[in-house]
mmCIF file of all heavy atoms in Angstrom:
data_model
loop_
_atom_site.group_PDB
_atom_site.id
_atom_site.type_symbol
_atom_site.label_atom_id
_atom_site.label_comp_id
_atom_site.label_asym_id
_atom_site.label_seq_id
_atom_site.Cartn_x
_atom_site.Cartn_y
_atom_site.Cartn_z
ATOM 1 N N GLU A 1 0.841 -1.196 0.002
ATOM 2 C CA GLU A 1 0.000 -0.001 -0.001
ATOM 3 C C GLU A 1 0.880 1.253 0.001
ATOM 4 O O GLU A 1 2.027 1.232 0.437
ATOM 5 C CB GLU A 1 -0.917 0.022 1.221
ATOM 6 C CG GLU A 1 -1.932 -1.095 1.241
ATOM 7 C CD GLU A 1 -2.900 -0.967 2.411
ATOM 8 O OE1 GLU A 1 -2.427 -0.863 3.557
ATOM 9 O OE2 GLU A 1 -4.111 -0.978 2.170
ATOM 10 N N MET A 2 0.317 2.349 -0.494
ATOM 11 C CA MET A 2 1.052 3.608 -0.541
ATOM 12 C C MET A 2 1.096 4.257 0.836
ATOM 13 O O MET A 2 0.060 4.380 1.496
ATOM 14 C CB MET A 2 0.366 4.569 -1.524
ATOM 15 C CG MET A 2 1.043 5.934 -1.637
ATOM 16 S SD MET A 2 2.743 5.851 -2.239
ATOM 17 C CE MET A 2 2.482 5.266 -3.921
ATOM 18 N N PRO A 3 2.284 4.647 1.311
ATOM 19 C CA PRO A 3 2.358 5.367 2.586
ATOM 20 C C PRO A 3 1.532 6.651 2.558
ATOM 21 O O PRO A 3 1.196 7.180 1.488
ATOM 22 C CB PRO A 3 3.854 5.674 2.716
ATOM 23 C CG PRO A 3 4.522 4.591 1.936
ATOM 24 C CD PRO A 3 3.609 4.357 0.760
ATOM 25 N N LEU A 4 1.242 7.162 3.730
ATOM 26 C CA LEU A 4 0.373 8.316 3.875
ATOM 27 C C LEU A 4 1.152 9.624 3.802
ATOM 28 O O LEU A 4 2.331 9.674 4.126
ATOM 29 C CB LEU A 4 -0.359 8.245 5.215
ATOM 30 C CG LEU A 4 -1.095 6.938 5.515
ATOM 31 C CD1 LEU A 4 -1.638 6.951 6.944
ATOM 32 C CD2 LEU A 4 -2.218 6.704 4.510
ATOM 33 N N ARG A 5 0.489 10.681 3.357
ATOM 34 C CA ARG A 5 0.949 12.071 3.438
ATOM 35 C C ARG A 5 2.274 12.302 2.699
ATOM 36 O O ARG A 5 3.096 13.118 3.093
ATOM 37 C CB ARG A 5 1.048 12.505 4.908
ATOM 38 C CG ARG A 5 -0.239 12.221 5.664
ATOM 39 C CD ARG A 5 -0.218 12.657 7.085
ATOM 40 N NE ARG A 5 -0.346 14.105 7.201
ATOM 41 C CZ ARG A 5 -0.526 14.734 8.364
ATOM 42 N NH1 ARG A 5 -0.600 14.039 9.482
ATOM 43 N NH2 ARG A 5 -0.608 16.054 8.402
ATOM 44 N N MET A 6 2.434 11.591 1.592
ATOM 45 C CA MET A 6 3.696 11.675 0.852
ATOM 46 C C MET A 6 3.916 13.059 0.230
ATOM 47 O O MET A 6 5.069 13.515 0.144
ATOM 48 C CB MET A 6 3.743 10.593 -0.217
ATOM 49 C CG MET A 6 3.812 9.176 0.340
ATOM 50 S SD MET A 6 5.199 8.932 1.491
ATOM 51 C CE MET A 6 6.580 9.204 0.396
ATOM 52 N N ASP A 7 2.861 13.726 -0.201
ATOM 53 C CA ASP A 7 3.030 15.067 -0.775
ATOM 54 C C ASP A 7 3.620 16.022 0.257
ATOM 55 O O ASP A 7 4.526 16.816 -0.054
ATOM 56 C CB ASP A 7 1.693 15.614 -1.285
ATOM 57 C CG ASP A 7 1.211 14.906 -2.545
ATOM 58 O OD1 ASP A 7 2.031 14.192 -3.163
ATOM 59 O OD2 ASP A 7 0.033 15.054 -2.894
ATOM 60 N N GLU A 8 3.117 15.959 1.496
ATOM 61 C CA GLU A 8 3.638 16.814 2.562
ATOM 62 C C GLU A 8 5.089 16.470 2.889
ATOM 63 O O GLU A 8 5.917 17.355 3.145
ATOM 64 C CB GLU A 8 2.784 16.667 3.830
ATOM 65 C CG GLU A 8 1.354 17.139 3.699
ATOM 66 C CD GLU A 8 0.545 16.771 4.919
ATOM 67 O OE1 GLU A 8 0.773 17.380 5.987
ATOM 68 O OE2 GLU A 8 -0.301 15.864 4.817
ATOM 69 N N ILE A 9 5.397 15.193 2.867
ATOM 70 C CA ILE A 9 6.751 14.764 3.208
ATOM 71 C C ILE A 9 7.748 15.246 2.162
ATOM 72 O O ILE A 9 8.795 15.826 2.501
ATOM 73 C CB ILE A 9 6.801 13.236 3.339
ATOM 74 C CG1 ILE A 9 5.995 12.792 4.573
ATOM 75 C CG2 ILE A 9 8.244 12.740 3.441
ATOM 76 C CD1 ILE A 9 5.756 11.299 4.661
ATOM 77 N N TYR A 10 7.434 15.060 0.887
ATOM 78 C CA TYR A 10 8.372 15.485 -0.158
ATOM 79 C C TYR A 10 8.498 16.998 -0.202
ATOM 80 O O TYR A 10 9.586 17.523 -0.486
ATOM 81 C CB TYR A 10 7.953 14.923 -1.510
ATOM 82 C CG TYR A 10 8.377 13.489 -1.699
ATOM 83 C CD1 TYR A 10 7.441 12.475 -1.849
ATOM 84 C CD2 TYR A 10 9.732 13.147 -1.710
ATOM 85 C CE1 TYR A 10 7.834 11.151 -2.016
ATOM 86 C CE2 TYR A 10 10.133 11.820 -1.866
ATOM 87 C CZ TYR A 10 9.185 10.837 -2.020
ATOM 88 O OH TYR A 10 9.586 9.530 -2.167
ATOM 89 N N ALA A 11 7.427 17.709 0.102
ATOM 90 C CA ALA A 11 7.511 19.172 0.158
ATOM 91 C C ALA A 11 8.484 19.605 1.255
ATOM 92 O O ALA A 11 9.265 20.545 1.081
ATOM 93 C CB ALA A 11 6.128 19.775 0.397
ATOM 94 N N ALA A 12 8.445 18.907 2.401
ATOM 95 C CA ALA A 12 9.365 19.230 3.484
ATOM 96 C C ALA A 12 10.801 18.865 3.122
ATOM 97 O O ALA A 12 11.743 19.617 3.402
ATOM 98 C CB ALA A 12 8.946 18.517 4.764
ATOM 99 N N LEU A 13 10.988 17.716 2.477
ATOM 100 C CA LEU A 13 12.329 17.318 2.053
ATOM 101 C C LEU A 13 12.919 18.338 1.080
ATOM 102 O O LEU A 13 14.116 18.635 1.123
ATOM 103 C CB LEU A 13 12.288 15.934 1.402
ATOM 104 C CG LEU A 13 11.954 14.749 2.315
ATOM 105 C CD1 LEU A 13 11.795 13.484 1.495
ATOM 106 C CD2 LEU A 13 13.026 14.559 3.388
ATOM 107 N N ASP A 14 12.073 18.901 0.230
ATOM 108 C CA ASP A 14 12.541 19.857 -0.774
ATOM 109 C C ASP A 14 12.978 21.188 -0.176
ATOM 110 O O ASP A 14 13.673 21.958 -0.852
ATOM 111 C CB ASP A 14 11.451 20.107 -1.817
ATOM 112 C CG ASP A 14 11.288 18.935 -2.779
ATOM 113 O OD1 ASP A 14 12.196 18.074 -2.829
ATOM 114 O OD2 ASP A 14 10.249 18.869 -3.473
ATOM 115 N N ARG A 15 12.569 21.476 1.057
ATOM 116 C CA ARG A 15 12.974 22.739 1.679
ATOM 117 C C ARG A 15 13.907 22.532 2.877
ATOM 118 O O ARG A 15 14.286 23.494 3.543
ATOM 119 C CB ARG A 15 11.748 23.541 2.109
ATOM 120 C CG ARG A 15 10.890 22.913 3.198
ATOM 121 C CD ARG A 15 9.716 23.818 3.600
ATOM 122 N NE ARG A 15 8.909 23.225 4.645
ATOM 123 C CZ ARG A 15 7.843 22.450 4.447
ATOM 124 N NH1 ARG A 15 7.446 22.186 3.212
ATOM 125 N NH2 ARG A 15 7.156 21.949 5.473
ATOM 126 N N CYS A 16 14.280 21.298 3.141
ATOM 127 C CA CYS A 16 15.082 21.055 4.338
ATOM 128 C C CYS A 16 16.533 21.480 4.128
ATOM 129 O O CYS A 16 17.056 21.468 3.005
ATOM 130 C CB CYS A 16 14.998 19.597 4.779
ATOM 131 S SG CYS A 16 16.019 18.440 3.848
ATOM 132 N N THR A 17 17.163 21.868 5.216
ATOM 133 C CA THR A 17 18.598 22.162 5.202
ATOM 134 C C THR A 17 19.375 21.127 6.012
ATOM 135 O O THR A 17 20.593 21.070 5.913
ATOM 136 C CB THR A 17 18.867 23.566 5.766
ATOM 137 O OG1 THR A 17 18.118 23.735 6.975
ATOM 138 C CG2 THR A 17 18.435 24.634 4.777
ATOM 139 N N LEU A 18 18.668 20.332 6.801
ATOM 140 C CA LEU A 18 19.260 19.200 7.501
ATOM 141 C C LEU A 18 18.281 18.040 7.450
ATOM 142 O O LEU A 18 17.109 18.190 7.817
ATOM 143 C CB LEU A 18 19.565 19.552 8.963
ATOM 144 C CG LEU A 18 20.005 18.388 9.871
ATOM 145 C CD1 LEU A 18 21.313 17.769 9.388
ATOM 146 C CD2 LEU A 18 20.136 18.847 11.326
ATOM 147 N N PHE A 19 18.761 16.895 6.977
ATOM 148 C CA PHE A 19 17.958 15.676 6.977
ATOM 149 C C PHE A 19 18.637 14.649 7.863
ATOM 150 O O PHE A 19 19.781 14.267 7.625
ATOM 151 C CB PHE A 19 17.807 15.117 5.556
ATOM 152 C CG PHE A 19 17.138 13.766 5.503
ATOM 153 C CD1 PHE A 19 15.787 13.647 5.818
ATOM 154 C CD2 PHE A 19 17.851 12.630 5.167
ATOM 155 C CE1 PHE A 19 15.164 12.411 5.794
ATOM 156 C CE2 PHE A 19 17.244 11.382 5.141
ATOM 157 C CZ PHE A 19 15.891 11.272 5.451
ATOM 158 N N LEU A 20 17.923 14.222 8.902
ATOM 159 C CA LEU A 20 18.426 13.207 9.821
ATOM 160 C C LEU A 20 17.648 11.909 9.635
ATOM 161 O O LEU A 20 16.419 11.929 9.516
ATOM 162 C CB LEU A 20 18.264 13.654 11.272
ATOM 163 C CG LEU A 20 19.034 14.861 11.778
ATOM 164 C CD1 LEU A 20 18.687 15.127 13.237
ATOM 165 C CD2 LEU A 20 20.528 14.621 11.640
ATOM 166 N N SER A 21 18.349 10.815 9.639
ATOM 167 C CA SER A 21 17.715 9.499 9.627
ATOM 168 C C SER A 21 18.106 8.787 10.906
ATOM 169 O O SER A 21 19.291 8.598 11.180
ATOM 170 C CB SER A 21 18.175 8.697 8.406
ATOM 171 O OG SER A 21 17.594 7.406 8.398
ATOM 172 N N VAL A 22 17.114 8.395 11.692
ATOM 173 C CA VAL A 22 17.364 7.843 13.019
ATOM 174 C C VAL A 22 16.702 6.475 13.160
ATOM 175 O O VAL A 22 15.485 6.349 13.001
ATOM 176 C CB VAL A 22 16.822 8.784 14.122
ATOM 177 C CG1 VAL A 22 17.060 8.181 15.502
ATOM 178 C CG2 VAL A 22 17.447 10.171 14.028
ATOM 179 N N GLY A 23 17.495 5.457 13.438
ATOM 180 C CA GLY A 23 16.943 4.157 13.788
ATOM 181 C C GLY A 23 16.183 3.460 12.686
ATOM 182 O O GLY A 23 15.177 2.812 12.957
ATOM 183 N N THR A 24 16.679 3.549 11.455
ATOM 184 C CA THR A 24 15.978 2.879 10.360
ATOM 185 C C THR A 24 16.957 2.043 9.547
ATOM 186 O O THR A 24 18.127 2.412 9.389
ATOM 187 C CB THR A 24 15.238 3.894 9.465
ATOM 188 O OG1 THR A 24 14.576 3.208 8.402
ATOM 189 C CG2 THR A 24 16.181 4.935 8.894
ATOM 190 N N SER A 25 16.479 0.926 9.034
ATOM 191 C CA SER A 25 17.337 -0.037 8.350
ATOM 192 C C SER A 25 17.731 0.398 6.954
ATOM 193 O O SER A 25 18.695 -0.116 6.386
ATOM 194 C CB SER A 25 16.625 -1.397 8.273
ATOM 195 O OG SER A 25 15.481 -1.295 7.431
ATOM 196 N N GLY A 26 16.969 1.327 6.379
ATOM 197 C CA GLY A 26 17.233 1.716 4.999
ATOM 198 C C GLY A 26 16.819 0.669 3.994
ATOM 199 O O GLY A 26 17.287 0.665 2.850
ATOM 200 N N MET A 27 15.908 -0.208 4.383
ATOM 201 C CA MET A 27 15.483 -1.305 3.506
ATOM 202 C C MET A 27 14.097 -1.101 2.923
ATOM 203 O O MET A 27 13.732 -1.763 1.951
ATOM 204 C CB MET A 27 15.514 -2.634 4.287
ATOM 205 C CG MET A 27 16.894 -3.033 4.786
ATOM 206 S SD MET A 27 16.848 -4.507 5.832
ATOM 207 C CE MET A 27 16.283 -5.754 4.687
ATOM 208 N N VAL A 28 13.294 -0.224 3.534
ATOM 209 C CA VAL A 28 11.895 -0.084 3.128
ATOM 210 C C VAL A 28 11.700 1.230 2.366
ATOM 211 O O VAL A 28 11.985 2.310 2.886
ATOM 212 C CB VAL A 28 10.961 -0.135 4.356
ATOM 213 C CG1 VAL A 28 9.519 0.032 3.926
ATOM 214 C CG2 VAL A 28 11.142 -1.447 5.113
ATOM 215 N N TYR A 29 11.221 1.121 1.150
ATOM 216 C CA TYR A 29 10.923 2.296 0.349
ATOM 217 C C TYR A 29 9.451 2.648 0.458
ATOM 218 O O TYR A 29 8.636 1.791 0.739
ATOM 219 C CB TYR A 29 11.297 2.009 -1.120
ATOM 220 C CG TYR A 29 12.789 2.027 -1.345
ATOM 221 C CD1 TYR A 29 13.565 0.908 -1.056
ATOM 222 C CD2 TYR A 29 13.426 3.173 -1.814
ATOM 223 C CE1 TYR A 29 14.941 0.927 -1.229
ATOM 224 C CE2 TYR A 29 14.810 3.198 -1.996
ATOM 225 C CZ TYR A 29 15.556 2.076 -1.712
ATOM 226 O OH TYR A 29 16.911 2.109 -1.879
#
């Protein structure tokens, strides 16, 4: 299934100056 609120997430990624990834395997897209 498609994850939720993806438009909001990508909009935030497009304006971020710091992106942190915490506690994730990096296996799930």
Side-chain angles (χ1 to χ4, degrees):
E1 295 185 306
M2 179 61 66
L4 308 174
R5 308 182 75 171
M6 293 305 296
D7 288 346
E8 296 172 71
I9 292 169
Y10 279 116
L13 292 173
D14 286 344
R15 65 178 181 269
C16 79
T17 46
L18 172 62
F19 173 69
L20 295 179
S21 178
V22 179
T24 179
S25 66
M27 298 175 64
V28 179
Y29 285 82

